[in-house]
Amino acid sequence: MSRSPARAILRLLTALVAVLSLGALMAGPAASAAAPAKPAAEVIVLIEDFQFVPSSVTIRVGDTVRWTNNDSATHTSTSDNGVWNSGNLTAGTSFRHTFRTAGSFSYHCAIHPSMTGTVTVR
């Protein structure tokens, strides 16, 4: 008779472990961990025909903007408030800036001031 209660307890424990394991599998990893943050993005702005294309971009904090000069002339990407300055970008060269704070950032080409753009960071 001593084996019967022990077997009953063992069966009960086995069933309990099976039910708990099934519950954990059905819940999936999202139930136990927060959703991962989106990775930072790189947004491309082309410099073509003496303009920034697109002239306005909206990104998230932590994202990077890459300006690539596809023009035959030398240009710059220069922040209006001194946050960044690419220096001279000759044909085929690029400059990257990562935005760490939210806000609206206007910029221009220091060589051709009529070329302007805006980066909005949310």
Side-chain angles (χ1 to χ4, degrees):
M1 263 184 113
S2 64
R3 286 187 172 185
S4 181
R7 284 188 178 161
I9 291 172
L10 184 59
R11 282 190 208 135
L12 179 61
L13 288 175
T14 302
L16 182 59
V17 167
V19 168
L20 291 175
S21 297
L22 181 61
L25 285 174
M26 292 181 72
S32 61
K38 282 187 171 183
E42 182 174 85
V43 174
I44 297 170
V45 174
L46 300 177
I47 303 171
E48 299 176 324
D49 298 322
F50 288 82
Q51 54 188 320
F52 296 105
V53 181
S55 62
S56 223
V57 295
T58 300
I59 62 172
R60 295 176 299 140
V61 171
D63 287 352
T64 298
V65 175
R66 177 177 49 157
W67 289 268
T68 298
N69 186 0
N70 286 344
D71 219 342
S72 58
T74 299
H75 297 287
T76 74
S77 171
T78 306
S79 166
D80 289 353
N81 59 3
V83 174
W84 76 88
N85 183 355
S86 67
N88 290 343
L89 297 172
T90 57
T93 61
S94 295
F95 168 76
R96 290 175 176 82
H97 179 76
T98 300
F99 289 82
R100 305 275 182 219
T101 58
S104 182
F105 301 89
S106 298
Y107 65 94
H108 62 280
C109 172
I111 301 168
H112 310 99
S114 64
M115 294 173 57
T116 61
T118 305
V119 176
T120 302
V121 184
R122 297 186 181 184

